[in-house]
DNA sequence: ATTATTCCCTACCATTTGGTAAGAGGTCAA
DNA sequence: TTGACCTCTTACCAAATGGTAGGGAATAAT
């Protein structure tokens, strides 16, 4: 937020560790002491940087949101890309950064109960950007904003859910099966992303 | 599990309260004291019935799994139903029972970190049943188990994710938009469920 | 040289956590 | 009537929780 926001390295390391622990155990399950010790500093050092646990968590979300935006920006820089490609890229990104998917998913779950005080929803710009991309796509020019948002959300849902549940899948099915599912998934996503709107 | 498993009413009430609080705050966020006070009894009374927090949680999962199976069984009783109809029914069910969706989603998230000791995965029969239903569908007869599981998982993912994130959606978009998205969603699901396998 | 600021520490603290110990009151069988 | 459960209670407990208070060392600004 305000301030100069120099990464300060230490701050960055706290955010990294917090991302890991929040992703594994959730907001309530991860303790400040744990996170700080992961970095090799004390809980109070962390409090010095972030103030409260809530604010630390906010910093983590902000960080994730930025990375997702960067990913999309990076993509569009050279070649104009299609919407399905964007979706596949997000999928690949979440595969490479599973921790962030988990934090995001948890945020959606916790959001309702934790006081949504700031009212600031860190992911909104990212979603708006995807919505815009879909709107530019052939059959979607005339689609309503709601239809567009629904499709985008469905795709993100499928992506997050897949990533998040991989561990469970592996416990239920053979790891070969999981592997072939994982490989087949981008194509499935692309199919769905290409599906024209409405019934 | 073992024992006679008489519902015992009190036990049932504990499970109900636990479902609510686990869905709102997750495994770590919900305290035994909170849950018990919700029922109007003491934490120790609850411990008497369930032993530990983990076991209480297990009972909650077991309960949810049973309800989902019942829902599918109820459906198939009179008319043979199509796979898309099953999916839509699950969607309607999760809409009516949002707490359970949330608990399920959280379970997927927590599963990895919490010692998956029992190795018992309460949802497996439910998933197997859906997989079976899809296999009976036209173009899916020859599809691989992995492809089938992938499709089922994608659909369940889209359903859970949608339900779970409704609160967040409402914070981001107008509630009218959310409403129309919600109404459009079953058709989207049916479309996806009808989509033939492979690329 | 001195002040202010940043970063991090030790020392606490009240509260809450999951869980144990021991027993009270009731029901039911022998 | 005795004794064995079952259900639920009060009384504890050690450990962990998020957070405060205050200071020490280094760096930067004056």
């Amino acid at each position: 937020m305000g301030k100069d926001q120099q990464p300060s390295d230490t701050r960055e390391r706290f955010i990294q560790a917090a991302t890991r622990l929040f992703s594994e155990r959730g907001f309530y399950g991860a303790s400040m002491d744990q996170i700080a010790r992961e970095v090799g500093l004390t809980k109070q050092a962390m409090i010095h940087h972030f103030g409260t646990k809530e604010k630390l968590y906010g910093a983590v979300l902000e960080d994730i949101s930025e990375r997702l935006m960067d990913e999309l920006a990076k993509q569009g820089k050279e070649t104009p890309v299609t919407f399905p490609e964007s979706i596949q890229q997000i999928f690949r990104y979440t595969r490479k950064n599973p921790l962030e998917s988990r934090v995001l998913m948890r945020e959606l779950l916790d959001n309702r109960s934790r006081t949504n005080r700031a009212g600031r929803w860190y992911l909104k710009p990212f979603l708006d950007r995807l919505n815009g991309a879909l709107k530019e796509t052939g059959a979607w020019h005339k689609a309503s904003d709601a239809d567009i948002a629904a499709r985008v959300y469905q795709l993100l849902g499928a992506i997050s859910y897949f990533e998040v549940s991989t561990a469970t899948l592996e416990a239920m099915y053979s790891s070969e099966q999981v592997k072939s599912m994982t490989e087949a998934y981008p194509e499935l996503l692309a199919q769905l992303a290409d599906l024209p709107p409405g019934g």
Side-chain angles (χ1 to χ4, degrees), chain A:
Chain A
M1 274 269 320
K3 308 289 173 68
D4 298 20
Q5 203 73 335
Q6 270 193 340
S8 132
D9 193 34
T10 307
R11 216 184 121 95
E12 203 66 27
R13 274 159 64 213
F14 275 127
I15 291 182
Q16 288 267 345
T19 301
R20 250 209 49 205
L21 282 168
F22 281 142
S23 83
E24 274 175 16
R25 327 214 345 147
F27 180 79
Y28 301 104
S31 79
M32 303 184 75
D33 200 63
Q34 260 180 323
I35 297 170
R37 234 178 312 125
E38 187 107 342
V39 176
L41 294 175
T42 62
K43 174 180 60 169
Q44 285 73 11
M46 197 167 70
I47 289 178
H48 166 73
H49 282 282
F50 299 92
T52 68
K53 194 183 185 183
E54 292 268 354
K55 285 182 187 166
L56 167 64
Y57 181 73
V60 166
L61 283 186
E62 206 168 17
D63 185 66
I64 291 175
S65 163
E66 277 167 18
R67 286 173 198 278
L68 283 171
M69 288 294 282
D70 286 356
E71 192 70 15
L72 284 183
K74 182 176 81 182
Q75 185 192 31
K77 215 157 227 172
E78 295 158 9
T79 47
V81 288
T82 67
F83 178 72
E85 280 168 359
S86 284
I87 290 297
Q88 287 184 321
Q89 176 153 8
I90 294 297
F91 178 70
R92 282 194 302 272
Y93 181 76
T94 64
R95 291 250 90 206
K96 277 191 297 184
N97 305 72
L99 301 187
E100 301 180 9
S101 293
R102 294 178 100 83
V103 174
L104 242 42
M105 201 65 217
R106 286 189 189 276
E107 166 57 16
L108 289 172
L109 287 159
D110 290 345
N111 198 291
R112 174 182 285 169
S113 57
R114 196 156 49 242
T115 36
N116 202 357
R117 256 175 317 203
R120 201 188 296 123
W121 174 238
Y122 298 94
L123 227 56
K124 191 172 190 315
F126 168 67
L127 287 177
D128 283 346
R129 154 111 203 212
L130 279 182
N131 287 356
L134 179 54
K135 204 186 182 80
E136 312 255 320
T137 307
W140 288 84
H141 277 299
K142 295 177 191 168
S144 74
D145 285 356
D147 284 343
I148 289 173
R151 176 59 55 87
V152 165
Y153 227 69
Q154 184 193 28
L155 285 164
L156 286 179
I159 289 174
S160 295
Y161 190 83
F162 184 88
E163 174 46 43
V164 148
S165 55
T166 297
T168 303
L169 271 174
E170 275 167 356
M172 286 189 297
Y173 301 97
S174 78
S175 94
E176 262 184 43
Q177 272 180 311
V178 172
K179 196 186 165 199
S180 90
M181 281 170 56
T182 303
E183 280 162 4
Y185 210 67
E187 283 160 34
L188 254 173
L189 286 174
Q191 267 186 47
L192 181 56
D194 261 334
L195 212 65

